[in-house]
Amino acid sequence: MRTVFLDRDGVINVSLPNKGYVRSWADFTFIRNAKEAIRTLTESGFRIIVITNQSGIGRGFFTEPQLIDIHQQMSAEITTAGGQLHAIYYCPHTPEVGCPCRKPKPGMLIRAAQEHDIDLSKAYFIGDFITDIEAGRSAGVSPLLVLTGHGRNTYRRYISNTQPPKTRTPDKIFQDLYAAAHWLTQ
């Protein structure tokens, strides 16, 4: 089964630059056409797995049960829209902990591959931040950048005006998840 990994904040839902973290379902807003994109991927036979850093737990801004509630409600809305998330992996640690699952390290991708029998060399990782690209490259996944969330700043800062190392270069760049999903399903 073909697999697409998705970052959450800035890819599926709107990032909250002023608030910092999505702390509850009330803070969660889907990016325009994100549910439709996930439905398109699902209907085309892709397995969809979310890979997300959630250091707000480690920083004490919200709890693991609150994050699980957000993910359950997000999954329910995606299912209602005709999509399916096969799994959600998150790292609750702050960068200082040095956790091997926290992006840009590939731990969550590797764990998902082991648990779901995924050939990472045939998978994609859609993200909006440089850590998504780096994690994808480290795991052997094809990284795709979307310009939603931090994507425009990521493009400006790391990609557009320099010759970035391969570890920081996405294979393709898209306006949003919807455009990436349509490219993947063509």
Side-chain angles (χ1 to χ4, degrees):
M1 179 180 272
R2 298 177 298 171
T3 302
V4 175
F5 296 102
L6 302 177
D7 178 38
R8 194 194 82 181
D9 298 323
V11 176
I12 297 173
N13 62 280
V14 175
S15 296
L16 300 174
N18 297 334
K19 290 185 178 180
Y21 296 93
V22 173
R23 300 170 190 225
S24 70
W25 183 244
D27 293 337
F28 191 98
T29 303
F30 281 97
I31 290 175
R32 185 173 170 262
N33 293 323
K35 290 186 278 188
E36 293 79 1
I38 295 169
R39 181 186 68 230
T40 297
L41 291 167
T42 300
E43 289 172 348
S44 294
F46 281 91
R47 171 181 24 215
I48 303 159
I49 297 175
V50 174
I51 303 289
T52 181
N53 287 343
Q54 292 297 322
S55 67
I57 294 171
R59 298 175 199 279
F61 294 134
F62 53 92
T63 64
E64 202 160 1
Q66 287 172 298
L67 179 67
I68 290 167
D69 178 63
I70 292 166
H71 287 166
Q72 287 173 339
Q73 293 193 60
M74 175 184 75
S75 295
E77 284 212 19
I78 288 169
T79 300
T80 299
Q84 181 183 4
L85 299 179
H86 289 80
I88 300 172
Y89 292 84
Y90 60 90
C91 176
H93 305 108
T94 61
E96 300 77 30
V97 172
C99 176
C101 68
R102 183 177 170 76
K103 296 178 292 180
K105 294 180 182 170
M108 287 186 280
L109 293 160
I110 292 167
R111 181 174 157 214
Q114 292 167 343
E115 292 178 1
H116 298 277
D117 193 30
I118 298 167
D119 180 349
L120 291 173
S121 70
K122 295 180 180 173
Y124 298 90
F125 186 12
I126 301 174
D128 69 320
F129 204 61
I130 197 68
T131 56
D132 300 321
I133 295 167
E134 291 172 333
R137 284 275 178 236
S138 292
V141 174
S142 176
L144 308 175
L145 178 70
V146 291
L147 298 177
T148 50
H150 293 285
R152 289 193 194 289
N153 287 337
T154 296
Y155 178 76
R156 279 189 224 112
R157 185 170 178 195
Y158 298 104
I159 300 164
S160 66
N161 297 321
T162 64
Q163 289 293 340
K166 181 77 170 159
T167 58
R168 291 185 159 199
T169 306
D171 287 347
K172 286 194 124 350
I173 300 170
F174 299 95
Q175 282 299 115
D176 55 19
L177 178 57
Y178 189 75
H182 280 276
W183 178 79
L184 286 167
T185 58
Q186 297 306 312

